[in-house]
Amino acid sequence: MTEAQDATAHDDPPARAHLLPLELVVVDHYARESRFVVDTLPAILGRDDKAAVPLIDPWVSHAHCEIYQLGSTIVVRDLDSKNGIFVHGHRVREAEVISGDRLTLGRTEVTLNFGPKSMATQEVAITATAPKPAPQTAGKGPSRGPETEQLLY
C-alpha cells in the first residue's frame, strides 16, 4: 500500500463520503460521450477490461491512471502510461483535481464531477449511457483530443 493509499485508508468516513460518488463524463476519440459513476476509490482508468472505468482509445494504456482520495481531496496519478495524463492541457504525473476539471488521456477527454452539488450524487453505481453521435463542424469532421504531435510515443 502506498503512503497516499495508507493515508486514505485512515481518513474519517464522513470526510470520504462527501466527495463520493464521482461522475466521469468521458468523450472518446470518436467524440462519443458516456458517463460513469464511481462510488469506491481508488479507481483505475484504462483499456483493461478490469478497469473501474474502461476506455476504448488506442492511445490509452491498459492501466493509464488512478483516481484516489487523499483526505478531503481527489488526486489523479499517472500509472507510467505511454502518453501521460493532462489536466486542462498541462501534463502532470500526479495532481489534485477539483470538480469540473478536465483530464486528457490519449485522445479521450474525461471531466470529473464530485461533491455535494455534483450530478453524480443522484446515482448509486458505476453506469454508462449510450454514446451520443459525434458533433459535426463545418467541413472539419468530429472534434478530437490533442493532436498527434502533442502525444509522446
Side-chain angles (χ1 to χ4, degrees):
M1 185 177 282
T2 66
E3 289 176 24
Q5 289 169 329
D6 187 41
T8 304
H10 299 299
D11 282 347
D12 187 11
R16 291 180 61 94
H18 81 281
L19 295 176
L20 294 176
L22 293 168
E23 178 189 45
L24 287 84
V25 180
V26 178
V27 179
D28 71 11
H29 64 292
Y30 291 116
R32 295 178 298 200
E33 182 178 293
S34 55
R35 294 175 186 269
F36 294 88
V37 176
V38 178
D39 59 358
T40 59
L41 294 176
I44 304 291
L45 285 73
R47 284 194 341 227
D48 196 318
D49 292 336
K50 295 178 184 172
V53 180
L55 303 173
I56 303 171
D57 180 342
W59 290 274
V60 170
S61 298
H62 287 275
H64 200 93
C65 70
E66 172 184 44
I67 297 174
Y68 64 94
Q69 186 168 355
L70 180 61
S72 61
T73 61
I74 300 293
V75 179
V76 62
R77 175 180 32 219
D78 190 353
L79 297 175
D80 297 323
S81 65
K82 189 173 187 179
N83 291 313
I85 56 175
F86 296 79
V87 177
H88 293 290
H90 299 281
R91 188 170 185 158
V92 298
R93 176 90 178 111
E94 185 170 44
E96 278 187 19
V97 291
I98 60 172
S99 187
D101 275 352
R102 181 180 40 87
L103 309 176
T104 304
L105 290 73
R107 289 192 173 181
T108 299
E109 301 286 332
V110 179
T111 303
L112 301 165
N113 297 306
F114 55 89
K117 294 184 179 183
S118 80
M119 296 187 312
T121 58
Q122 300 170 5
E123 301 289 336
V124 293
I126 296 177
T127 58
T129 59
K132 293 183 179 180
Q136 295 295 322
T137 55
K140 291 190 176 184
S143 173
R144 296 189 181 122
E147 296 297 320
T148 304
E149 296 80 25
Q150 295 173 323
L151 300 173
L152 302 175
Y153 289 98

